[in-house]
Amino acid sequence: VYLVVFHLSFFMFVWSYWKTIFTSPASPTKEFCLSKADKEQYEKEERPESQQEILRRAAKDLPIYTTTASRAIRYCDRCQLIKPDRCHHCSACDICVLKMDHHCPWVNNCVGFSNYKFFLLFLMYSLLYCLFVAATVLQYFIKFWTNELPDTHAKFHVLFLFFVAAMFFISILSLFSYHCWLVGKNRSTIETFRAPTFRNGPDKNGFSLGCSKNLREVFGDEKKYWLIPIFTSLGDGCNFPTRLVIMDPEQLTVSSQNEPAKSSGASQPFPARPLSESQNRLLTTDCQWVESGPEEENVKSGSQHHFISHLPV
């Protein structure tokens, strides 16, 4: 049994580590790139206001809901494209990475949408492997301190192996626990330190759909594939379901009259098109919206007016 567990954990550890290293970071699709005419016009313009107007025009049909802290369209001058939600430019890889979490020096690769599941499995199987090594060496470690181990040079190897396995176990445990917390909250490491800015301002829980759906977004719908290092994450990395509330035209009119400062116009950088159910399976017909308070009413998905709202966690 010990040999089966050892070989299985070691094999899954190597497989997940390999996938984490050699999976190329996912980049935005061509629809987020400016057209040749818009790009030339953007480069000619010197005023930031005019440049933002060009970006707003180009982004009106794109499924983006976040902006910079100054309410500007998120644009990468290096890659010359409009950044999708949760996308960031990696200076080490010199590309824009979809749902970038961080650039990991231990795997010499960006951890993002394309390999985040592999990275989590790599941490988990590394943790199990270190635990298995420490547990099997523990009896010899105890014999070393009680002088029951034969007086050979091998006893120092036992001591070294136990300490290395224990130290790696403790360090990986802290990192794995932190990323498990991030998955449950549906946040990236970058979003933990800098909350994404939505229409109503910064919201660190703007992409959180509840713990169950957050897990499915990373690991997929089929639980039998969760522990296998194959790509099963939902979505395409460019579109992410947010805590959307659909309102009918009458509710939207009343809301806009009560809050004139939030009315749409030239200063509104957000596109009107929300995520459809076909773009992400997390938005299902039976549980499409997160639970809201008693005063909030969810209406049918046939409505054409949408806005982003802060719902109770």
Side-chain angles (χ1 to χ4, degrees):
V1 176
Y2 285 137
L3 288 177
V4 172
V5 174
F6 172 80
H7 286 97
L8 181 60
S9 61
F10 183 75
F11 173 73
M12 299 299 283
F13 159 73
V14 173
W15 188 6
S16 58
Y17 183 64
W18 179 274
K19 296 286 287 185
T20 304
I21 294 177
F22 293 102
T23 301
S24 300
S27 300
T29 56
K30 293 183 178 180
E31 65 175 334
F32 291 91
C33 299
L34 295 180
S35 63
K36 186 177 181 181
D38 289 339
K39 190 181 300 183
E40 292 177 353
Q41 187 178 1
Y42 180 85
E43 293 174 351
K44 290 179 181 179
E45 290 290 346
E46 296 181 356
R47 295 182 304 166
E49 297 81 5
S50 301
Q51 291 180 334
Q52 279 297 306
E53 186 61 33
I54 297 173
L55 296 180
R56 289 191 189 99
R57 204 166 52 241
K60 65 179 180 180
D61 293 326
L62 295 178
I64 56 175
Y65 296 97
T66 59
T67 63
T68 63
S70 59
R71 299 290 180 167
I73 296 292
R74 300 172 65 246
Y75 180 74
C76 180
D77 293 307
R78 184 79 176 179
C79 299
Q80 295 184 328
L81 53 80
I82 297 174
K83 295 180 182 180
D85 293 340
R86 318 185 81 176
C87 176
H88 299 275
H89 186 87
C90 177
S91 57
C93 298
D94 198 25
I95 57 172
C96 283
V97 180
L98 295 180
K99 196 186 177 183
M100 179 178 176
D101 187 89
H102 68 286
H103 184 88
C104 183
W106 298 104
V107 299
N108 193 29
N109 196 9
C110 260
V111 177
F113 174 76
S114 61
N115 61 351
Y116 190 59
K117 177 190 173 182
F118 305 144
F119 178 73
L120 291 173
L121 293 181
F122 160 63
L123 293 180
M124 186 188 72
Y125 287 118
S126 301
L127 193 66
L128 293 177
Y129 184 63
C130 291
L131 179 62
F132 176 80
V133 172
T136 52
V137 178
L138 179 61
Q139 56 178 327
Y140 302 102
F141 180 76
I142 296 176
K143 291 181 179 180
F144 172 82
W145 290 106
T146 56
N147 294 323
E148 297 179 13
L149 207 64
D151 191 12
T152 61
H153 294 290
K155 65 179 183 180
F156 296 103
H157 298 166
V158 171
L159 183 65
F160 175 78
L161 183 60
F162 178 81
F163 274 118
V164 169
M167 287 188 296
F168 270 96
F169 174 80
I170 295 173
S171 60
I172 295 175
L173 178 61
S174 60
L175 184 60
F176 180 68
S177 302
Y178 173 69
H179 279 279
C180 286
W181 178 79
L182 290 180
V183 171
K185 296 292 184 179
N186 202 345
R187 301 178 198 168
S188 64
T189 302
I190 296 177
E191 292 167 351
T192 302
F193 295 97
R194 185 172 65 250
T197 303
F198 294 88
R199 175 177 299 181
N200 294 336
D203 185 3
K204 60 184 179 179
N205 294 317
F207 294 106
S208 180
L209 306 174
C211 186
S212 177
K213 290 186 177 182
N214 294 341
L215 284 173
R216 288 168 53 196
E217 187 171 316
V218 175
F219 293 97
D221 290 325
E222 299 290 336
K223 293 184 178 180
K224 60 183 178 182
Y225 298 126
W226 281 14
L227 300 181
I228 304 176
I230 57 176
F231 184 81
T232 56
S233 300
L234 300 183
D236 58 2
C238 296
N239 305 328
F240 292 95
T242 57
R243 296 184 297 170
L244 295 176
V245 177
I246 299 182
M247 298 190 68
D248 58 32
E250 294 182 359
Q251 288 177 319
L252 186 64
T253 302
V254 174
S255 177
S256 61
Q257 291 177 353
N258 294 336
E259 301 179 6
K262 296 182 180 180
S263 60
S264 60
S267 61
Q268 179 54 260
F270 294 90
R273 189 180 72 177
L275 286 173
S276 63
E277 295 178 14
S278 61
Q279 289 173 318
N280 199 301
R281 283 173 285 170
L282 290 175
L283 298 180
T284 54
T285 55
D286 56 340
C287 52
Q288 181 168 357
W289 315 112
V290 294
E291 295 181 359
S292 58
E295 297 180 358
E296 294 175 336
E297 180 181 2
N298 296 334
V299 299
K300 295 182 179 180
S301 60
S303 302
Q304 298 179 352
H305 299 275
H306 306 76
F307 75 102
I308 297 177
S309 175
H310 294 273
L311 301 182
V313 179

